[in-house]
Amino acid sequence: MAFDPLYATRLQAAWQTGQRYAKRAVAGSNSLGLVVLYFLAAFLYMRVAESLTGTFWTQLAACLLTAVFVAPASVRTFLRKADLAMLAPSPYPMKHYLRSAFVYSLLVQAAGMLLLAVIVYPVYKRTALSPGSWALLAGSLILLKMWCSDLYWRHVRLERDSFLLLVARWGIAALFLYGFWTSNRVYAAAALVLMVILTAMAMSKAARYHLPWLFLIEKENKRIDLYYTILNMFIDVPHKRKKVRPRTWAIRLFDRLTGDKGDAYLYVLVRHVIRTGETFAIYLRLAFLTLALIAWAKAPLLLYALCLLGLAAAGKQVTQHIRTIVHPPSIRLLPIASEERQRAAFRLCLAMLGLMTAGMTVVILSKTAPLLDKLALIAICWIWTYLLTAYFFRRKKTAANYQIPLKR
């Protein structure tokens, strides 16, 4: 099938924009933390998969969780607000345009199901009653995704897509997967019958309008906004305004940890870093993930590695954000020397890593291990915290991004 020329042009432009932003995101400071989190999550997932057995509850949980990723569906229409005036009353063949949008979206989601099959296969192999090949699992997931996408698109054209329909798709997909998981043909056949009934009901209804323009445009705008929100976690995206969150509890906590409130730059730096941007959110995610992995780890070598790597990842992200953060004029215009700015940033970073180390201390003390070994690890973590902060801020001029050049 040949793609509609207008849709192909917009698809190509979207891919070029996505590639440009992706290169910037990979080169950004958060990519290191993402790689560390990926390998830690993959290691933990494989360990959990190896410990599973083929009981009723594990099979049911595996099917329900897999269906969570199968049931949602979407169609990239690339429609714009101007299309409502330029294309709506015109004889442009929108049917061919929308068919191209549906086929492209279906191909992308089928590729996603191949990736999902790779992730789910270790659990399927350990818990299924009679596990088959990876290709069979991937084919089942693609079949379910094609049905979910087709039913979603029909309901969208009828302006009837809702949360209840999403729950219905999720339940039927989980029922089919449970029959597939347990080799029970009754459950699989029941799911197929329900799939045919829902599809026939959607086909029997006629759309009230030729095309729900406003509904589709709103969905496209929300999707683009979601993409920019995700990108904004890695790089500064001009399309997204930084949200300001109160976080009063964090402000009070770090005011106590950093100490001197007479330092004007430290005072405003604490509030700006914690209230705006993703610095504090990334720090919290890394801290909670590290604490969870430490609480789970049992091997001494793994425990040491998780502590050191978790602190290094958090320190890298926090220092990079503090050095490159774009402050408002109220902070940039403060007549403060670069050494004082450097010292304030160092104290804030040390306080954030110190708080994370304090949480790690509590988790380590709660473990069943010799007291001397636990105290040695805690001492190493505190020394590592200070060395990391000093290393990341070595010869780094934080004032370089804040100075405003004077015109001569």
Side-chain angles (χ1 to χ4, degrees):
M1 163 187 156
F3 270 48
D4 180 82
L6 178 60
Y7 186 83
T9 302
R10 293 182 175 181
L11 176 61
Q12 183 179 6
W15 272 98
Q16 291 175 352
T17 304
Q19 290 175 4
R20 185 171 67 252
Y21 276 115
K23 291 178 181 178
R24 292 177 55 191
V26 171
S29 60
N30 291 346
S31 57
L32 175 61
L34 187 63
V35 171
V36 172
L37 291 178
Y38 168 78
F39 281 106
L40 289 177
F43 175 77
L44 180 61
Y45 175 76
M46 293 303 298
R47 292 293 298 270
V48 172
E50 291 173 359
S51 64
L52 295 177
T53 56
T55 63
F56 166 76
W57 293 109
T58 54
Q59 292 170 347
L60 181 61
C63 296
L64 292 175
L65 290 176
T66 305
V68 168
F69 298 96
V70 176
S74 61
V75 175
R76 286 304 309 272
T77 59
F78 296 108
L79 291 176
R80 303 170 183 173
K81 292 182 179 180
D83 294 342
L84 187 59
M86 300 296 294
L87 301 178
S90 71
Y92 189 85
M94 291 304 297
K95 183 177 181 180
H96 189 45
Y97 180 95
L98 295 178
R99 187 182 295 115
S100 301
F102 178 74
V103 171
Y104 166 74
S105 302
L106 199 61
L107 292 175
V108 172
Q109 292 176 83
M113 290 301 99
L114 293 177
L115 178 60
L116 181 62
V118 173
I119 298 173
V120 172
Y121 187 70
V123 177
Y124 169 71
K125 190 175 181 180
R126 294 284 301 180
T127 60
L129 187 62
S130 300
S133 64
W134 172 85
L136 184 61
L137 175 63
S140 301
L141 293 178
I142 291 176
L143 173 66
L144 286 174
K145 194 66 174 182
M146 291 176 63
W147 172 76
C148 290
S149 300
D150 178 74
L151 190 64
Y152 163 83
W153 187 231
R154 294 181 187 278
H155 285 149
V156 166
R157 293 295 305 272
L158 295 170
E159 295 185 336
R160 290 176 52 193
D161 185 57
S162 64
F163 178 73
L164 292 178
L165 294 172
L166 175 61
V167 173
R169 296 197 301 268
W170 171 70
I172 295 175
L175 180 63
F176 180 87
L177 287 174
Y178 184 76
F180 175 77
W181 229 270
T182 58
S183 301
N184 192 319
R185 297 181 180 179
V186 176
Y187 291 116
L192 290 174
V193 170
L194 291 175
M195 292 165 62
V196 172
I197 292 174
L198 286 181
T199 303
M201 291 174 60
M203 292 176 62
S204 64
K205 304 293 182 180
R208 292 177 296 173
Y209 308 104
H210 173 65
L211 187 66
W213 289 94
L214 297 178
F215 186 74
L216 292 176
I217 290 173
E218 181 183 3
K219 279 192 168 293
E220 183 66 21
N221 291 337
K222 287 182 179 180
R223 175 175 293 276
I224 294 175
D225 187 68
L226 176 61
Y227 287 159
Y228 283 137
T229 301
I230 296 174
L231 278 173
N232 199 48
M233 297 180 182
F234 301 91
I235 57 176
D236 290 328
V237 180
H239 305 77
K240 293 292 296 180
R241 294 182 178 180
K242 293 183 177 180
K243 297 181 180 179
V244 179
R245 298 174 175 85
R247 289 171 177 162
T248 307
W249 63 272
I251 296 295
R252 293 177 180 175
L253 176 62
F254 282 99
D255 275 344
R256 292 179 179 274
L257 293 177
T258 54
D260 188 14
K261 287 188 178 181
D263 190 332
Y265 182 72
L266 178 60
Y267 182 83
V268 295
L269 181 65
V270 168
R271 280 149 181 78
H272 187 61
V273 170
I274 292 177
R275 288 175 176 172
T276 61
E278 291 293 327
T279 307
F280 191 66
I282 292 173
Y283 162 76
L284 287 180
R285 287 193 288 267
L286 286 172
F288 283 124
L289 179 61
T290 303
L291 293 177
L293 292 174
I294 291 174
W296 164 80
K298 295 181 180 179
L301 183 60
L302 177 62
L303 186 61
Y304 273 81
L306 290 174
C307 290
L308 299 181
L309 289 176
L311 286 172
K316 173 66 175 178
Q317 300 303 312
V318 171
T319 53
Q320 186 69 21
H321 276 77
I322 291 177
R323 287 199 305 265
T324 60
I325 195 170
V326 179
H327 292 298
S330 59
I331 297 180
R332 288 183 290 163
L333 292 176
L334 288 174
I336 298 175
S338 60
E339 292 78 10
E340 296 182 13
R341 297 176 185 267
Q342 183 88 358
R343 185 165 52 252
F346 177 86
R347 288 171 62 178
L348 176 58
C349 179
L350 187 61
M352 297 179 77
L353 291 184
L355 181 63
M356 181 175 172
T357 307
M360 295 168 60
T361 300
V362 175
V363 176
I364 293 172
L365 288 176
S366 65
K367 285 185 164 293
T368 55
L371 180 60
L372 291 179
D373 293 346
K374 293 191 288 187
L375 293 178
L377 178 57
I378 291 170
I380 290 175
C381 289
W382 282 103
I383 295 173
W384 183 242
T385 296
Y386 184 85
L387 293 178
L388 279 174
T389 309
Y391 173 78
F392 285 128
F393 277 103
R394 74 195 188 286
R395 299 179 182 177
K396 300 290 184 179
K397 299 298 182 181
T398 58
N401 294 325
Y402 313 140
Q403 298 296 334
I404 301 177
L406 300 178
K407 295 182 180 180
R408 296 183 178 178

